[in-house]
Amino acid sequence: MKNIDLTSPDASTATRGPGDVARGLLDPARRDHFLRAKGAVFAATHLIIDVAEGAGLDDEARIRDALLACTEACGATLLHLHTHRFSPQGISGVAILAESHISVHTWPEIGYGAFDVFMCGDTDPQAAIPVLARLFQTNAVTTRTLRRGAGLLPG
């Protein structure tokens, strides 16, 4: 069997077997944005955050501030921020990050905001939760956590 350095940027994927890929991804010295926890390798953490009974969900400046504050709290790198206000109400927005994205869609008429915090690399997506509760003045925040790409690569 041919020996391949899986951490090398010019290593050919065509000659790697599944075991080679797994060993390379689990190498703690590997420099990439895959996440590793308890022997598992996955692409990113994806938080599905529901904000209920929220205030200010029709305030575009507050939505922008929330996306920026979450980005900072999580330790992510902002690349682009875009929001759109609908008529008669509601806002959608996305913060494009070097580590992926944060998105939001609001239904202010019922006090609801649907946030996605999707991050890879050395970030703390959980840090967005208290930021959203504080900025939208609610304790009615629920979260589901997904490990995106889990199971695709052996851990």
PDB file of all heavy atoms in Angstrom, residues 15 21 40 54 57 79 88 121-122 131 139 151:
ATOM      1  N   THR A  15      -6.230   8.212  -4.388  1.00  0.00           N
ATOM      2  CA  THR A  15      -5.483   7.039  -3.955  1.00  0.00           C
ATOM      3  C   THR A  15      -5.722   6.715  -2.482  1.00  0.00           C
ATOM      4  O   THR A  15      -5.121   5.799  -1.971  1.00  0.00           O
ATOM      5  CB  THR A  15      -3.976   7.264  -4.187  1.00  0.00           C
ATOM      6  OG1 THR A  15      -3.564   8.420  -3.456  1.00  0.00           O
ATOM      7  CG2 THR A  15      -3.672   7.430  -5.659  1.00  0.00           C
ATOM      8  N   VAL A  21      -8.474   8.076   5.109  1.00  0.00           N
ATOM      9  CA  VAL A  21      -9.140   9.360   5.324  1.00  0.00           C
ATOM     10  C   VAL A  21      -9.467   9.529   6.796  1.00  0.00           C
ATOM     11  O   VAL A  21      -9.210  10.568   7.401  1.00  0.00           O
ATOM     12  CB  VAL A  21     -10.414   9.469   4.455  1.00  0.00           C
ATOM     13  CG1 VAL A  21     -11.207  10.715   4.818  1.00  0.00           C
ATOM     14  CG2 VAL A  21     -10.032   9.494   2.981  1.00  0.00           C
ATOM     15  N   ALA A  40     -15.289  11.536  17.470  1.00  0.00           N
ATOM     16  CA  ALA A  40     -16.119  11.775  16.285  1.00  0.00           C
ATOM     17  C   ALA A  40     -15.552  12.938  15.483  1.00  0.00           C
ATOM     18  O   ALA A  40     -14.978  13.867  16.038  1.00  0.00           O
ATOM     19  CB  ALA A  40     -17.557  12.097  16.699  1.00  0.00           C
ATOM     20  N   GLY A  54     -40.435  37.332  22.020  1.00  0.00           N
ATOM     21  CA  GLY A  54     -39.349  38.286  21.860  1.00  0.00           C
ATOM     22  C   GLY A  54     -39.826  39.694  21.531  1.00  0.00           C
ATOM     23  O   GLY A  54     -40.845  39.883  20.878  1.00  0.00           O
ATOM     24  N   LEU A  57     -38.392  42.243  17.314  1.00  0.00           N
ATOM     25  CA  LEU A  57     -38.126  41.369  16.175  1.00  0.00           C
ATOM     26  C   LEU A  57     -38.515  41.981  14.835  1.00  0.00           C
ATOM     27  O   LEU A  57     -38.310  41.376  13.791  1.00  0.00           O
ATOM     28  CB  LEU A  57     -38.822  40.019  16.381  1.00  0.00           C
ATOM     29  CG  LEU A  57     -38.197  39.169  17.486  1.00  0.00           C
ATOM     30  CD1 LEU A  57     -39.140  38.039  17.892  1.00  0.00           C
ATOM     31  CD2 LEU A  57     -36.854  38.626  17.053  1.00  0.00           C
ATOM     32  N   LEU A  79     -17.752  38.106   7.384  1.00  0.00           N
ATOM     33  CA  LEU A  79     -17.361  38.427   6.017  1.00  0.00           C
ATOM     34  C   LEU A  79     -18.370  39.366   5.357  1.00  0.00           C
ATOM     35  O   LEU A  79     -17.987  40.266   4.618  1.00  0.00           O
ATOM     36  CB  LEU A  79     -17.241  37.144   5.178  1.00  0.00           C
ATOM     37  CG  LEU A  79     -16.222  36.118   5.668  1.00  0.00           C
ATOM     38  CD1 LEU A  79     -16.279  34.869   4.795  1.00  0.00           C
ATOM     39  CD2 LEU A  79     -14.824  36.712   5.681  1.00  0.00           C
ATOM     40  N   PRO A  88     -45.887  43.805   5.551  1.00  0.00           N
ATOM     41  CA  PRO A  88     -45.944  44.851   6.568  1.00  0.00           C
ATOM     42  C   PRO A  88     -45.009  44.612   7.755  1.00  0.00           C
ATOM     43  O   PRO A  88     -44.735  45.523   8.525  1.00  0.00           O
ATOM     44  CB  PRO A  88     -47.403  44.823   7.022  1.00  0.00           C
ATOM     45  CG  PRO A  88     -47.810  43.389   6.872  1.00  0.00           C
ATOM     46  CD  PRO A  88     -47.048  42.901   5.655  1.00  0.00           C
ATOM     47  N   GLY A 121     -14.765  25.079  12.939  1.00  0.00           N
ATOM     48  CA  GLY A 121     -13.526  25.675  13.428  1.00  0.00           C
ATOM     49  C   GLY A 121     -13.550  25.983  14.911  1.00  0.00           C
ATOM     50  O   GLY A 121     -14.349  25.453  15.671  1.00  0.00           O
ATOM     51  N   ASP A 122     -12.686  26.871  15.298  1.00  0.00           N
ATOM     52  CA  ASP A 122     -12.470  27.207  16.709  1.00  0.00           C
ATOM     53  C   ASP A 122     -13.436  28.308  17.144  1.00  0.00           C
ATOM     54  O   ASP A 122     -13.036  29.448  17.374  1.00  0.00           O
ATOM     55  CB  ASP A 122     -11.011  27.637  16.902  1.00  0.00           C
ATOM     56  CG  ASP A 122     -10.647  27.760  18.366  1.00  0.00           C
ATOM     57  OD1 ASP A 122     -11.314  27.127  19.203  1.00  0.00           O
ATOM     58  OD2 ASP A 122      -9.698  28.511  18.673  1.00  0.00           O
ATOM     59  N   VAL A 131     -26.926  35.851  24.167  1.00  0.00           N
ATOM     60  CA  VAL A 131     -26.955  37.121  23.433  1.00  0.00           C
ATOM     61  C   VAL A 131     -28.356  37.345  22.869  1.00  0.00           C
ATOM     62  O   VAL A 131     -28.931  38.439  22.996  1.00  0.00           O
ATOM     63  CB  VAL A 131     -25.900  37.137  22.300  1.00  0.00           C
ATOM     64  CG1 VAL A 131     -26.082  38.329  21.377  1.00  0.00           C
ATOM     65  CG2 VAL A 131     -24.496  37.114  22.884  1.00  0.00           C
ATOM     66  N   ASN A 139     -36.822  35.008  27.993  1.00  0.00           N
ATOM     67  CA  ASN A 139     -36.222  33.772  28.500  1.00  0.00           C
ATOM     68  C   ASN A 139     -36.775  32.565  27.746  1.00  0.00           C
ATOM     69  O   ASN A 139     -36.413  31.433  28.040  1.00  0.00           O
ATOM     70  CB  ASN A 139     -36.490  33.618  29.999  1.00  0.00           C
ATOM     71  CG  ASN A 139     -35.686  34.613  30.806  1.00  0.00           C
ATOM     72  OD1 ASN A 139     -34.535  34.892  30.486  1.00  0.00           O
ATOM     73  ND2 ASN A 139     -36.297  35.178  31.831  1.00  0.00           N
ATOM     74  N   GLY A 151     -21.089  11.033  11.251  1.00  0.00           N
ATOM     75  CA  GLY A 151     -21.390   9.713  10.706  1.00  0.00           C
ATOM     76  C   GLY A 151     -20.909   9.523   9.267  1.00  0.00           C
ATOM     77  O   GLY A 151     -20.860   8.401   8.785  1.00  0.00           O
TER      78      GLY A 151
END
